[in-house]
Amino acid sequence: GLLFADGPTTALDATIQKQILDLLLDLAAETRTAILLITHDFGVVSHTSSRVAVMRHGAIVEVGETAQVLAAPSHEYTRTLIASVPEIGQRHLQGGRERRLLDAAPATQRVHLADRPAAAAPRAEDAPILTLREISKEFVLGGLGTGHDRSVVRAVDAVSLEVRRGEIFGLIGESGSGKSTLARLSGALLPLTAGSVTFDGVDLADADAATVRQLRRRFQYVFQDATTALNPRIKVGDQIARPLVRLGKAANRKEAAELTRRALELVGLKAGYGDRYPREFSGGQRQRVVIARAIALEPELLVLDEPTSALDVSTQATILNLLLDLKHELNLTYLFIGHNLAVIEFVCDRIGVMQHGSLLETFSADDLFQPGRHPATRALLDSVLPIHAHAASPEESRARG
Ligand code: ADP
Ligand code: MG
């Protein structure tokens, strides 16, 4: 028989994805069924397929043995697509300030700023910009009832963490591990059940309203789903400009409009796009709008909650490159949340691993493959489907010569 599988694991965690794919492969082998698998993930292709065809604009541009196509693609489009995906264990090849992914999108004209006077590399002894001390959050399910059907979810469980000024701190964990809740607690978008949050030396629990308003400006969010982050009925320019006035970044509407145009240009959109509604943008452009809204306030800390999880691989590359550029030009600190370990390893300086509400360990991204990693971290590593078989780890590729 023949089984069509159209993106069967697109919305799943790496761990579950691997289980489902392996199950599918076993069943197909036992029942001698052929599979036509549709995906945008080259790791999935590499793990499952003997042959692969690459489509663009409704046409097949390349078809061949998977190993052959991945190792030596003959079409330019295939080459660009493959190179736009961060590959686990390749960080040492793309290290430092110049970290970049190949960007398949048509060249975007973005306005660049000179990097701010080089901030010294973050040091452990410097005052952290964000300090979480033993923070916990419990959600009561079955809300109003007082009976036996009430249960408590401990979404974040006594997490302590310091984010250093100037670093990109990556938070990874399976879905439901508490990453988004931690992000919202960090910026006082949710009340804590226990613990304390300190932003640049100020304990949020002690801060008065004016101070909190100030902090709101210095601390901004970019969430996964740009569609729900934006109001569909308001022009995006107004959505960027209003907080500027409300939070005191702009003295008046004229100044806010000027800052809005500049922010749009910084993320590679035309200044005039402010007159458009969210639906008039592509998914990648909408995520740029959300980033523009955040950086227009000139924040110091940006919390990015799965900012590229909803995007295809080439749009993801564009957005990741944009974020890396903006970080240097605007001297930002990122708390970068994701569930794709290859993306986290590529983007981040340090990494923290969450599971069931707990922060299991933190380490430098350069040490991801060091011995002694927590078993849950190793499980996340094992579930990554590398594009190239040799990319399993730098150690392994060295060992193989
Ligand atoms: P992640 O971002 O890692 O996927 P979340 O922080 O969204 O995880 O969720 C952690 C846990 O808390 C999950 O079990 C989730 O169902 C639960 N949770 C999150 N928000 C709420 C809420 N508002 N009410 C009840 N439970 C919630
Ligand atoms: Mg989340």
Side-chain angles (χ1 to χ4, degrees):
L2 173 63
L3 177 71
F4 283 92
D6 188 351
T9 57
T10 307
L12 302 177
D13 272 333
T15 327
I16 313 277
Q17 163 168 284
K18 188 149 185 255
Q19 289 167 7
I20 301 277
L21 290 175
D22 289 344
L23 182 68
L24 211 57
L25 291 177
D26 285 350
L27 288 173
E30 277 168 29
T31 56
R32 301 191 52 74
T33 301
I35 301 179
L36 180 69
L37 184 94
I38 299 166
T39 179
H40 62 248
D41 185 329
F42 283 102
V44 171
V45 172
S46 176
H47 186 67
T48 59
S49 315
S50 45
R51 294 198 306 136
V52 61
V54 179
M55 282 192 83
R56 183 192 204 185
H57 301 324
I60 288 178
V61 298
E62 174 160 7
V63 59
E65 302 291 323
T66 299
Q68 172 71 27
V69 170
L70 293 181
S74 64
H75 198 283
E76 181 59 33
Y77 177 67
T78 314
R79 266 197 293 280
T80 314
L81 265 189
I82 291 175
S84 70
V85 184
E87 179 85 296
I88 193 87
Q90 300 296 296
R91 179 183 169 83
H92 59 298
L93 299 178
Q94 304 157 305
R97 161 72 175 85
E98 300 304 326
R99 280 204 303 276
R100 283 200 88 69
L101 294 164
L102 193 61
D103 201 329
T108 43
Q109 297 299 313
R110 63 170 290 260
V111 170
H112 290 265
L113 296 174
D115 290 2
R116 296 258 181 96
R123 295 172 307 175
E125 61 270 27
D126 289 343
I129 188 165
L130 178 72
T131 306
L132 312 179
R133 281 195 200 89
E134 298 273 312
I135 65 165
S136 296
K137 179 68 190 180
E138 290 179 350
F139 292 109
V140 180
L141 303 179
L144 298 175
T146 48
H148 57 275
D149 55 343
R150 267 165 58 109
S151 65
V152 171
V153 178
R154 216 168 164 78
V156 171
D157 193 0
V159 170
S160 296
L161 170 67
E162 289 186 344
V163 178
R164 301 169 194 160
R165 196 175 277 279
E167 76 175 343
I168 305 184
F169 188 92
L171 202 57
I172 184 144
E174 290 173 10
S175 113
S177 56
K179 306 181 297 295
S180 295
T181 305
L182 183 139
R184 287 154 70 210
L185 292 172
S186 303
L189 296 185
L190 264 183
L192 293 159
T193 303
S196 73
V197 176
T198 308
F199 183 83
D200 198 20
V202 179
D203 187 332
L204 294 185
D206 301 337
D208 56 40
T211 312
V212 170
R213 213 170 61 119
Q214 266 301 313
L215 294 180
R216 279 269 144 74
R217 182 180 75 62
R218 297 167 60 197
F219 189 127
Q220 287 296 306
Y221 294 87
V222 172
F223 291 109
Q224 169 175 347
D225 189 355
T227 311
T228 52
L230 294 168
N231 185 325
R233 285 176 298 276
I234 300 178
K235 289 179 178 172
V236 301
D238 290 334
Q239 299 195 55
I240 298 171
R242 283 177 193 174
L244 293 171
V245 177
R246 192 174 66 242
L247 296 173
K249 182 68 202 156
N252 51 48
R253 292 175 65 171
K254 181 157 172 291
E255 199 179 311
E258 202 46 52
L259 291 173
T260 298
R261 297 169 67 82
R262 197 192 76 135
L264 286 169
E265 287 178 343
L266 271 176
V267 301
L269 296 172
K270 294 202 172 73
Y273 284 10
D275 282 332
R276 295 188 179 185
Y277 290 92
R279 64 170 178 276
E280 298 174 274
F281 293 95
S282 68
Q285 286 177 325
R286 264 197 297 273
Q287 197 56 293
R288 286 174 196 266
V289 169
V290 174
I291 294 168
R293 183 173 62 180
I295 63 160
L297 287 152
E298 295 194 16
E300 289 154 54
L301 176 66
L302 215 54
V303 177
L304 300 144
D305 191 353
E306 311 230 15
T308 62
S309 298
L311 305 174
D312 64 78
V313 291
S314 49
T315 313
Q316 165 170 278
T318 315
I319 297 289
L320 292 180
N321 286 335
L322 170 67
L323 288 170
L324 289 171
D325 285 348
L326 289 173
K327 177 193 178 279
H328 288 286
E329 291 171 20
L330 303 172
N331 227 345
L332 298 166
T333 305
Y334 289 165
L335 176 56
F336 190 106
I337 296 171
H339 67 253
N340 181 328
L341 191 52
V343 169
I344 290 282
E345 187 208 14
F346 174 74
V347 170
C348 302
D349 305 309
R350 285 198 304 143
I351 299 175
V353 179
M354 285 194 79
Q355 188 184 50
H356 306 318
S358 299
L359 184 63
L360 301 176
E361 61 171 344
T362 62
F363 49 86
S364 160
D366 293 324
D367 296 337
L368 176 60
F369 290 94
Q370 290 302 309
R373 287 281 78 87
H374 192 284
T377 309
R378 288 209 307 273
L380 285 175
L381 262 174
D382 288 343
S383 65
V384 173
L385 304 176
I387 302 171
H388 302 291
H390 67 259
S393 82
E395 283 71 31
E396 279 179 35
S397 48
R398 269 196 290 275
R400 250 176 254 157

